[in-house]
Each structure stands twice: as C-alpha cells, then as structure tokens.
Amino acid sequence: MLGIGFAILFVFILIISFIRRYKRCPSDRILVVYGKVSGGHSAKCIHGGAAFIWPVVQDYEYLDLTPISIEVNLVNALSKQNIRVNVPSRFTIGISTEPGVMQNAAERLLGQGLQEVQDLAKEIIFGQLRLVVASMDIEEINSDRDKFLSNISRSVETELKKVGLKLINVNITDIHDESGYIDALGKEAAAHAINEARKSVAEKNRDGSIGEANAVQDQRTQVAAANAKAVDGENTAKIEVANSNAERRQREAEAERLAIASEKVQAAKALEESYAAEREAEVARAERERSSQMADIIVPAEIDKNKVEIDAEAEAEMIRRRAKGEADAILFKAQAEAQGLFEVLTKQAQGLDEIVKAAGDDPKDAVLLLIADKLPELVKLQAEAIKNIKIDKVTVWDSGKSKDGKTSTANFLSGMYQSVPPLQEMFNMAGMNLPEYLKGKDPENPAENNEETKPEKSQKSGGDEEPQADA
C-alpha cells in the first residue's frame, strides 16, 4: 500500500509539473520559446496561442506589444535645395506580430529593456527621416504633407522591420527652416488671398455704382415724362421742379464723385499691399538664392582649399622622406667607400708585412724584392721616354771626329739618351742606393767598378756620365 501511495504521489507531481510547463500567450504579448526548437530556428514565436516548454532543453520569455511613443525632434536637416529644416515629430511604434518580423524581434530585442528599444528605434528613425527630407524640396514638404508622411512611413517602416518593429503612427507637428523660406511662402499665399478678396469687393462696389446709375437714369426718364405731362401746369410748380432737379443733380454728382474717389483709394491700397507682399517674397527668394550660391560655390571652394593643403602636406612629407633617403644613401656610400679603402690599406699593410718577413725581417732586402718586382716596368719607362719622339728633320754639320773619337751625330744621339735619368740617379734622389748588380760595369775604369759607389758621387757625376748599355 505504501508503494502504491508513493507511485500515485509521483504521478501527481509529474502531472502538476507538466501543467506548469504548458504556457499560454496573452493577446498583448509574444511568447518566445528558445533552446532546442523545431525547424532549425533559433527561437519559436507564438502570439495568441500556447506551447509546452520542455524542461532542461527549452526556456521561454515574453515580448511586450504595448505601443511605444518616441519624440523625434529633427534639427538642421539638409533638404534637396540645401536649406536647413527643423522637423519636430512624434512616432508611435511597437513590436510587430508578422511571422518573419516577429522572428527578427525575438532574435534582436529579446531581453532588451524599454529604454534600449526606444534608443534603437530613435536612431533608425533619425537616419531615415534625414534621408526623406534630403530627397524632397521645401515647397513639396510644406504643401504636400500626405506625400511627405507617406515617404517617411515607407522608409522608416522598412528599416524597423529589420529589428522586429513596426510603425503605428507618425505625427509631424510643424516644419521650420533657418532661412524663413516657409514663412515667406505662407505670407505670399496670405497676401494673394487678401488681394483676391479686395478685388472681389471692388468689383461688387463697381456693380453697385452701375445699378445706382441705372436707377437714376430711370428716375430722370420718369420725371421728364411727368414734367412733359405737367408742361401746361403752373409756372411755380415748374420752378420748384427745376430747383429740385438742380439740387438732386448736385447731390448725385457729389455722391458719384465720392464713390469714384473711394474706389480709387481702395484700389491704390490694394496695389500697395500687393507690392509689399511681393517685395517680401522677393527678399525671401533672394535669401534662398544667396544660401544656394553659398552652398554651390563657397563649400566646394573650401573643400578644394582643404584638398590643396592636404596635397601640399603630402608633397612636403614625400620631399622630406626622399631627402632623408638620399642622405642615408650618401652616408651608406661614404661608409662603404671608407670600409673599402680601409680593407685595401689593410691588405697592402699585410702584404708589405709578408714581404718584410720573407726578406728575413731586413727592410733593405724587402726593398730589393720590391725593386726586383718593378724593375721591368722601370726599364720599359726609360725606353719609352725617347721612343715616341718624332724628328721631322735633323741637319748635322759633321767636321769629322772629335777629341774622343766620336762624330757629331753620335754625340747628338748620346746627348738625347743622357737626358733620360738613369736608374742610379733616380734611386739617389729617393735617398736609396742602387744594388751593385744593377749598376753595371764601366769598361774604361775597371778600378772604379770594384769600389762602392756613394750616393754623393752619383749625385755629382750623374749629369756627365753616359748611359750604359746594360741600364
């Protein structure tokens, strides 16, 4: 019995839990079931029905359908004519119950507060309202309010549906512009209506005067007929009738004069007021043209000025960077040349050090090695000194042999060759001694060939010695 009681209690609790998970949606709300829902959607929206919320895998929330009133005061909106317009308005919106739009509301507005929804809708309305104002002229906005409201409703509602909202009502309270163009249009319309009314009054007065003149004409005709019948009457009656007629004509003339003067005065006043209204309209139109010219000329000029400044700054920056790059290139080139010169000098110093070491650390022997390396080049330079001398014509008066047994021609050629500095003289000028095996032997003075030639002696006799064949 105890087990049966527990089973009944468990079943009862289970039924109560299922009943509590069955949710009914009120008419002023949308039931949003989210979690694991059928159809591959992120949420399931129900309006005017009920649904069972599965435990653990599903949950639910409500979206309120209460209308939201938003005050949107659009200021300095630019119209199609580049005139700034103020459009104070009030919009009434609410969450839409259309299937697709309701799904957007569940995805984008679920869990949002009333103030957050108002701010979001207000931003959307501001943007679309500016677009509508920018696509219409001032005259069209002011005169065709139905078209203006229709454009606003169509543009705003399309954007609101993307976030799950719908536009319920639009109320434009009044429209103003900074230049006073709308006020000028109103004054122009009022002046036109007043002038039409005054024209109608003047025409009615004219018709009254014409009727009065016709009545006077009939009266005179009847009086004349009566006078014609009373011709035979008494002269006193005739005089009284004549006096009466004269007074009547005088009064009629005065009345006619006053009527004509009054008509002219009224017509002049009507023209004066009409001209004043036209003058105000022209002033407003001139102001509008000035604003349009400023927008068409001054604004593009300022844009061009800013562009020129930006281009100048960019060009200056490019010049600075190019100059910096050229300076870096010059510095890099100078560093590379210095590094190369340093390497050349270092290698030369190492080579000279190796030559000295090869000569047994004797500088003189090292110099001899360098001389031996350059000797063919020195001999070649001596030979080339007179090789390319071009002599067009040589005239020699040869009187025979001289004291030393040589002819004048031989002495001439020998003197030319002696003008080339010998190797020994070149070494003496450099402060060095020519090695013995490079000096050669003097066949005429064998004794001197065995003695060491001193730099002073070579310096003294260098101009008198003849060049040797070996040198």
Side-chain angles (χ1 to χ4, degrees):
M1 294 296 293
L2 185 59
I4 296 173
F6 275 115
I8 294 173
L9 180 61
F10 176 74
V11 172
F12 180 75
I13 293 174
L14 187 62
I15 293 172
I16 295 298
S17 299
F18 271 85
I19 293 173
R20 293 185 60 184
R21 299 296 294 181
Y22 188 78
K23 299 298 179 181
R24 294 172 297 275
C25 179
S27 60
D28 61 342
R29 292 185 179 183
I30 296 175
L31 176 62
V32 180
V33 181
Y34 57 91
K36 185 175 179 58
V37 296
S38 61
H41 297 293
S42 60
K44 179 180 180 182
C45 300
I46 300 171
H47 178 239
F52 180 77
I53 311 300
W54 289 99
V56 180
V57 296
Q58 290 183 348
D59 206 344
Y60 71 97
E61 283 189 25
Y62 289 101
L63 288 175
D64 195 357
L65 297 177
T66 303
I68 302 172
S69 180
I70 301 175
E71 184 178 359
V72 179
N73 293 325
L74 184 62
V75 180
N76 290 334
L78 196 63
S79 67
K80 189 176 181 180
Q81 298 166 309
N82 294 328
I83 298 177
R84 299 288 180 178
V85 180
N86 300 332
V87 184
S89 58
R90 180 171 290 275
F91 288 75
T92 303
I93 64 171
I95 296 176
S96 178
T97 57
E98 296 181 15
V101 182
M102 188 166 50
Q103 187 71 25
N104 293 338
E107 293 176 354
R108 293 177 174 85
L109 301 180
L110 190 64
Q112 300 288 332
L114 178 62
Q115 185 62 41
E116 294 174 345
V117 175
Q118 286 183 346
D119 294 340
L120 176 61
K122 194 172 184 178
E123 291 296 328
I124 294 174
I125 292 171
F126 261 120
Q128 296 304 312
L129 191 56
R130 286 185 183 275
L131 290 177
V132 172
V133 172
S135 64
M136 298 180 67
D137 295 333
I138 293 296
E139 293 86 349
E140 193 176 12
I141 294 173
N142 186 48
S143 60
D144 196 352
R145 293 295 180 91
D146 292 336
K147 182 179 179 181
F148 183 48
L149 292 176
S150 176
N151 291 342
I152 292 174
S153 300
R154 182 172 57 255
S155 178
V156 172
E157 188 168 9
T158 301
E159 296 300 320
L160 289 178
K161 283 183 178 181
K162 295 179 182 180
V163 295
L165 299 174
K166 66 178 295 185
L167 182 63
I168 299 175
N169 184 37
V170 180
N171 184 18
I172 305 297
T173 57
D174 199 0
I175 299 175
H176 300 283
D177 64 305
E178 293 181 353
S179 61
Y181 183 62
I182 295 176
D183 293 338
L185 291 176
K187 290 180 180 179
E188 183 179 3
H192 181 71
I194 292 172
N195 291 334
E196 288 294 330
R198 289 177 176 173
K199 179 180 178 182
S200 178
V201 171
E203 289 177 352
K204 295 298 181 183
N205 291 333
R206 181 197 61 190
D207 294 339
S209 299
I210 293 173
E212 183 180 359
N214 290 332
V216 171
Q217 182 180 1
D218 292 339
Q219 182 182 2
R220 291 178 63 185
T221 301
Q222 293 176 6
V223 170
N227 289 332
K229 291 179 181 181
V231 170
D232 295 334
E234 296 180 354
N235 291 332
T236 304
K238 290 180 180 181
I239 294 172
E240 291 178 358
V241 171
N243 292 333
S244 178
N245 288 335
E247 186 178 358
R248 178 178 54 79
R249 285 194 298 269
Q250 181 180 1
R251 291 180 180 181
E252 288 176 356
E254 183 66 22
E256 186 176 1
R257 183 182 66 80
L258 292 176
I260 293 173
S262 178
E263 290 177 0
K264 291 183 178 180
V265 170
Q266 294 299 326
K269 289 183 179 180
L271 288 175
E272 181 181 0
E273 293 176 357
S274 176
Y275 293 154
E278 291 178 358
R279 182 174 64 254
E280 293 178 358
E282 289 298 330
V283 170
R285 189 177 295 106
E287 183 65 22
R288 183 190 66 181
E289 291 295 331
R290 187 180 68 82
S291 301
S292 177
Q293 290 295 328
M294 289 182 65
D296 293 339
I297 297 175
I298 296 177
V299 173
E302 292 180 352
I303 293 174
D304 293 340
K305 176 184 176 184
N306 295 332
K307 181 180 178 183
V308 169
E309 293 177 353
I310 292 172
D311 293 341
E313 292 178 358
E315 185 176 359
E317 181 64 22
M318 182 176 66
I319 293 173
R320 286 195 295 270
R321 292 188 179 184
R322 187 184 295 114
K324 185 176 182 302
E326 292 176 356
D328 293 341
I330 292 172
L331 177 61
F332 182 77
K333 181 179 178 182
Q335 291 177 350
E337 291 177 352
Q339 184 66 26
L341 182 61
F342 175 76
E343 293 294 335
V344 170
L345 295 177
T346 301
K347 296 300 181 181
Q348 288 180 354
Q350 292 178 357
L352 293 175
D353 184 56
E354 293 295 331
I355 292 173
V356 173
K357 289 180 180 180
D361 292 332
D362 189 350
K364 293 183 178 181
D365 293 340
V367 171
L368 291 176
L369 289 175
L370 293 175
I371 293 173
D373 182 58
K374 299 294 182 179
L375 184 60
E377 185 177 354
L378 294 174
V379 174
K380 181 180 179 181
L381 291 175
Q382 278 192 319
E384 293 289 337
I386 61 173
K387 177 181 178 182
N388 295 324
I389 296 177
K390 295 181 179 180
I391 302 174
D392 184 25
K393 182 179 181 182
V394 177
T395 303
V396 179
W397 286 272
D398 194 351
S399 59
K401 295 184 177 179
S402 60
K403 297 178 181 180
D404 53 3
K406 297 180 179 179
T407 64
S408 299
T409 303
N411 289 331
F412 171 73
L413 296 175
S414 176
M416 286 184 61
Y417 190 75
Q418 286 180 355
S419 64
V420 178
L423 285 177
Q424 184 173 354
E425 292 298 328
M426 293 175 63
F427 272 78
N428 291 338
M429 286 186 292
M432 297 184 294
N433 292 325
L434 186 67
E436 288 294 332
Y437 58 85
L438 295 178
K439 291 181 180 180
K441 296 181 180 180
D442 188 359
E444 296 180 1
N445 192 4
E448 293 182 357
N449 292 332
N450 296 327
E451 297 180 359
E452 182 180 358
T453 304
K454 297 182 181 180
E456 292 81 359
K457 182 179 180 180
S458 299
Q459 180 72 20
K460 181 177 179 182
S461 60
D464 298 331
E465 293 179 359
E466 292 184 4
Q468 302 297 324
D470 294 339

